[in-house]
Amino acid sequence: MTIKGLNKRIINAAEHLFLKEDAESAFSEICIAIDALASRIYYRKGRKSYMLFIKDRMDIITLIAFRGVCIRNLYVAVKPFDDGTGKIISADKIDENGVSLYSFEQIVYYLIRCKQIHTAEIADCLIDTGINGNGIKLDNGIFSFSFYNFAFGLLIALISEIEMTDVFHNTVFEKRAINGIQLSHLFGKKQKAIEILTNEVNNKRVI
């Protein structure tokens, strides 16, 4: 994907999320953008670079997705799932009771990214708690969280890795803020984004 194509995906994702409050449509654009950006950062394409992108940015993603809670290593006991061809994916961990624990990056890759690309859906073991949803919940293999907040976290993780260019001027990035900081000021500023989020007091949502 060209830089122009990557930028277009990011703008489309922001418009779906902030203007239409449509997290699932935003996920479609975000997932493709992560594929492209991760291959540039890690110099390889595919699942490993995608999952590494998520793992290395869990602080930004979870601080937004889970309203001020930073989780750098998250493992979830969702129901076993396959890779889309029928092959069951091995969990990253097995607990003392023999329960399979999938890493959050596995969940993002297989249950959101792959499902979105191949079926235009999100796995049914993931439940959206809505735009005002707060925190996370796991109940009998069903993982619940706010898709809106999670998509927002992924979007900030993306823009904090790329430079602000003219293409982003007069877009939604100049009309939305987080904790009083305009989103356009977070392009290419990963450390600044982390500092803003970790210094948050009131856990404000998008202004």
Side-chain angles (χ1 to χ4, degrees):
M1 180 184 293
T2 63
I3 293 296
K4 182 178 179 180
L6 173 62
N7 292 345
K8 182 178 179 181
R9 294 289 185 179
I10 290 173
I11 292 171
N12 288 345
E15 290 178 347
H16 281 303
L17 190 64
F18 300 130
L19 302 183
K20 302 176 184 178
E21 296 185 350
D22 182 353
E24 291 198 35
S25 292
F27 276 141
S28 296
E29 302 288 346
I30 289 169
C31 289
I32 294 172
I34 291 175
D35 269 324
L37 186 56
S39 67
R40 293 174 182 272
I41 292 173
Y42 299 106
Y43 303 104
R44 59 184 179 185
K45 297 181 179 181
R47 171 177 53 83
K48 289 185 178 180
S49 63
Y50 190 104
M51 292 172 65
L52 195 55
F53 182 93
I54 300 299
K55 185 175 180 61
D56 287 348
R57 291 154 188 83
M58 282 289 285
D59 42 10
I60 290 178
I61 295 167
T62 59
L63 280 164
I64 298 176
F66 306 141
R67 296 291 187 89
V69 178
C70 182
I71 307 175
R72 291 190 172 88
N73 294 288
L74 177 59
Y75 296 90
V76 184
V78 295
K79 298 175 181 178
F81 51 84
D82 62 47
D83 63 355
T85 67
K87 178 184 177 182
I88 298 297
I89 299 301
S90 298
D92 269 351
K93 288 187 176 182
I94 305 294
D95 72 8
E96 62 274 14
N97 297 314
V99 176
S100 296
L101 300 176
Y102 291 94
S103 67
F104 198 56
E105 51 266 30
Q106 282 183 303
I107 289 171
V108 176
Y109 183 78
Y110 290 107
L111 301 186
I112 296 178
R113 182 257 185 206
C114 292
K115 283 286 186 179
Q116 282 278 289
I117 290 175
H118 300 305
T119 68
E121 297 177 345
I122 291 176
D124 57 11
C125 64
L126 305 182
I127 301 297
D128 184 11
T129 58
I131 191 170
N132 294 313
N134 191 14
I136 58 179
K137 179 181 179 182
L138 183 65
D139 183 21
N140 195 29
I142 303 297
F143 188 34
S144 303
F145 55 93
S146 168
F147 289 2
Y148 179 93
N149 291 335
F150 179 53
F152 188 15
L154 289 176
L155 189 58
I156 297 302
L158 275 168
I159 69 170
S160 69
E161 294 289 346
I162 64 175
E163 295 300 319
M164 178 70 178
T165 63
D166 289 344
V167 72
F168 296 108
H169 288 314
N170 300 315
T171 66
V172 68
F173 290 107
E174 292 188 333
K175 301 172 184 177
R176 288 290 191 277
I178 183 168
N179 304 338
I181 304 298
Q182 190 172 291
L183 297 186
S184 60
H185 294 162
L186 298 181
F187 278 80
K189 300 293 195 314
K190 181 179 178 181
Q191 191 56 43
K192 180 178 180 179
I194 293 172
E195 290 171 0
I196 290 167
L197 294 168
T198 53
N199 290 333
E200 179 184 20
V201 176
N202 296 318
N203 294 335
K204 296 177 182 177
R205 189 168 61 80
V206 178
I207 298 172

